[in-house]
Amino acid sequence: MSKRKPAAVNRKAKEEINKKAIIWTGSILLVVIIVMTVLIILDK
């Protein structure tokens, strides 16, 4: 049983890293979209 517990902890850690990566990627894309929108508005 002791072997299964660290495996569960490792899976949770990997899921947290994946969530952080998704959040970072989403926020960067959002910033790029906002900047492009502002530049298009100011260009007109």
Side-chain angles (χ1 to χ4, degrees):
M1 288 185 182
S2 62
K3 290 181 180 179
R4 292 180 183 175
K5 290 180 181 179
V9 172
N10 289 339
R11 289 178 186 171
K12 289 180 181 179
K14 289 180 181 178
E15 288 177 3
E16 289 177 2
I17 292 171
N18 289 338
K19 288 179 183 178
K20 288 181 182 179
I22 292 172
I23 292 171
W24 273 103
T25 305
S27 62
I28 290 171
L29 288 173
L30 184 63
V31 168
V32 169
I33 292 171
I34 292 172
V35 169
M36 293 300 291
T37 304
V38 169
L39 289 174
I40 290 172
I41 292 172
L42 291 177
D43 189 40
K44 293 180 180 179

